[in-house]
Amino acid sequence: MSQAIDHVALLPGYLVAATAVTVLLADLFLGRRGVTIGVAAVGFTATGTAAGWLATQPARQTFCTVDGCSYVTGVPGAVIAVTLCGLALAVLALSTGLLRGTGEYRAPTGEYVFLLSCSLAGGVILAYARDLITLVVALETLTLPLYVLVAMRGESRRSAEAAVNFLLVSVAASTVTLFGAAMLYAATGAVHLTALAAALSGAIPTVAAVGAAMVLAGLAFKLAAVPLHGWAPGTYDGAPLPIAAYLSTASKLGGVAALLWVVTEAFSPIVNLVGPILLVLAVATMTIGNLVALRQRRTVRLLAWSSIAQAGYLLVPLGGYAVVAADITSAATAVLVFALFYVVMELAAFAAVIRLRGADRDGGSVDDLAGSLRSAPVPSIALLLAVAALAGLPPGLAGLFAKVTVISAVADLLPWLAVVVAINAVIGLVYYLRFGAVVVRAGSPARPTTAWPTTVVLTVVTGVLVLVGLAPQLLWDLAAF
């Protein structure tokens, strides 16, 4: 069957792919770090602008068959694509110190920026993917470049171990996802999400039920949710700090997008099956993440375990609504809103750590930040604001509204689940407050030479963090399904 291709719908994908190719050519023929970074920055901005413009147009779709369409534009997808472009642009700016190499190590500019562009390409396509094949390919495109980027810390043994750990667990997760998708196809003969929903609306074969569970388990890897969470702390700590920031924000947002499309479109007829799975994942992830975070003494490992706990909060609305067979689209909106709050808070925290430690150094221990408030007050205040937001404390209003979003989404449906979320939030206060106390107390931290783009990113992200806290309804309106 011939398929009409809507090139306008594909414009963000074309732009980000062209950016990756242009970056490679610029590095090959010009070999100037500033030009290579500038080309990527312009490309990321153009891609985000195109995605934002598409959001103002009627929904478009392409690569369609009688069963459904593989690529569909819409406002939620555009919000994800624009956010991913913003995150990639921020990480690119945070990486200037790493690419300049004034400290412990220097990453090769051309390869680094090209791989970051390729990863963003996968994320942008993922935002609009609506069949299992496109979704899995986009997920792998988002992830594959990160194996190499994680290892770009010179001769660091920890970096190599982190990359191998990430690769092995990712391969296992991808295998589980693909096997589940194959079982779903064997049972239904469909790969498009809408066609899967139609096929699963009747009697559910055992093969399809097992396949759906395996797909959910595989996608949980992207969120660093239990049981596929063990890779995150070591990988984050071994990766260059800007890449750790990308892993904990953009990669996680890509996992959220994949999970939302699959649950809300393909698995909507079997929410009674997927609901308990998501609920168990949510409770286990937030509890394990918070409890293990209490023991962490290294900065990035603390943020990694905190990120795992936040993944548990992300899953709460989907699991809660699905268990009681409520309106799953309301849950999807709550999840996306929380995810947008989260990536801003997490990026602010990492940007502050990079400003205090330097992009070309590791995150060090929490105690290494002692005295930062006196020696570097501006980034320290930004870090304290980000930590307060992650904890859900004033003046971090963004985090407070994020927690309220999750609790209010399930309070009436499953009161016990709201209690579990509240208890975990209290546990989280312990290590967040302890982290903040270290920054405030006396000490003599190292003062690295920091590239000026890092200061710009920190200023912008902190401003966005304040704005989203003051106007949370704006995010809800943007992310509404």
Side-chain angles (χ1 to χ4, degrees):
M1 174 182 293
S2 62
Q3 298 180 359
I5 299 176
D6 187 341
H7 295 286
V8 175
L10 293 170
L11 183 59
Y14 287 153
L15 287 173
V16 70
T19 299
V21 174
T22 307
V23 161
L24 199 60
L25 294 176
D27 180 68
L28 177 64
F29 291 107
L30 300 178
R32 299 181 61 181
R33 183 176 61 248
V35 173
T36 303
I37 294 174
V39 167
V42 171
F44 295 171
T45 303
T47 302
T49 302
W53 173 77
L54 273 179
T56 66
Q57 307 299 309
R60 309 177 76 102
Q61 54 193 26
T62 189
F63 300 122
C64 298
T65 68
V66 292
D67 293 327
C69 296
S70 298
Y71 189 97
V72 180
T73 67
V75 174
V79 169
I80 292 171
V82 171
T83 304
L84 287 171
C85 291
L87 292 171
L89 193 61
V91 168
L92 182 66
L94 292 174
S95 302
T96 51
L98 174 66
L99 299 176
R100 188 175 57 189
T102 58
E104 295 179 0
Y105 51 87
R106 181 178 69 85
T109 301
E111 292 87 336
Y112 186 96
V113 180
F114 171 71
L115 290 169
L116 183 63
S117 303
C118 290
S119 179
L120 176 61
V124 169
I125 298 301
L126 177 62
Y128 302 111
R130 290 302 186 276
D131 74 65
L132 287 179
I133 297 175
T134 306
L135 188 144
V136 170
V137 170
L139 270 175
E140 291 307 306
T141 305
L142 172 65
T143 304
L144 283 171
L146 299 179
Y147 305 147
V148 183
L149 288 170
V150 167
M152 283 191 178
R153 274 189 56 187
E155 300 299 324
S156 171
R157 178 178 177 181
R158 183 186 298 132
S159 178
E161 291 174 347
V164 172
N165 182 29
F166 184 30
L167 170 63
L168 294 178
V169 181
S170 179
V171 168
S174 299
T175 302
V176 171
T177 305
L178 288 170
F179 196 16
M183 295 176 74
L184 282 170
Y185 180 73
T188 65
V191 293
H192 292 90
L193 302 186
T194 52
L196 275 171
L200 295 174
S201 59
I204 310 300
T206 303
V207 173
V210 174
M214 294 182 70
V215 168
L216 290 178
L219 294 179
F221 162 80
K222 294 298 179 186
L223 299 177
V226 172
L228 296 173
H229 66 289
W231 63 273
T235 300
Y236 287 18
D237 198 24
L241 282 176
I243 297 305
Y246 188 82
L247 278 168
S248 65
T249 55
S251 180
K252 187 163 297 228
L253 184 59
V256 169
L259 188 67
L260 288 179
W261 305 151
V262 168
V263 172
T264 58
E265 297 195 19
F267 295 164
S268 55
I270 55 172
V271 290
N272 60 325
L273 169 66
V274 302
I277 297 174
L278 293 172
L279 204 55
V280 170
L281 290 177
V283 173
T285 301
M286 76 174 86
T287 304
I288 292 174
N290 280 318
L291 290 178
V292 180
L294 293 171
R295 298 172 55 99
Q296 302 307 306
R297 292 296 179 266
R298 289 189 60 82
T299 302
V300 176
R301 280 185 174 270
L302 176 63
L303 292 175
W305 283 104
S306 162
S307 174
I308 292 171
Q310 301 289 341
Y313 300 136
L314 277 168
L315 293 171
V316 164
L318 280 181
Y321 272 74
V323 163
V324 297
D327 181 13
I328 200 71
T329 57
S330 298
T333 299
V335 170
L336 186 51
V337 168
F338 185 94
L340 296 175
F341 276 123
Y342 162 78
V343 296
V344 175
M345 297 184 290
E346 191 78 354
L347 182 62
F350 270 100
V353 171
I354 291 171
R355 177 64 179 80
L356 293 170
R357 294 282 299 169
D360 50 1
R361 301 176 64 192
D362 64 19
S365 69
V366 175
D367 292 333
D368 291 336
L369 297 176
S372 296
L373 185 61
R374 178 175 298 179
S375 62
V378 174
S380 297
I381 291 173
L383 178 59
L384 291 172
L385 178 62
V387 170
L390 287 168
L393 292 174
L397 297 179
L400 178 61
F401 283 114
K403 293 291 192 301
V404 169
T405 296
V406 169
I407 294 176
S408 61
V410 298
D412 295 333
L413 302 175
L414 296 170
W416 67 267
L417 183 56
V419 172
V420 171
V421 173
I423 292 173
N424 272 277
V426 172
I427 296 173
L429 288 178
V430 177
Y431 58 84
Y432 285 127
L433 290 175
R434 187 171 61 199
F435 187 18
V438 170
V439 176
V440 173
R441 81 184 187 204
S444 301
R447 300 193 65 179
T449 301
T450 304
W452 64 265
T454 300
T455 302
V456 173
V457 171
L458 182 59
T459 304
V460 172
V461 174
T462 304
V464 173
L465 180 60
V466 173
L467 289 177
V468 297
L470 295 176
Q473 187 61 41
L474 177 61
L475 277 185
W476 189 275
D477 293 337
L478 285 174
F481 274 65

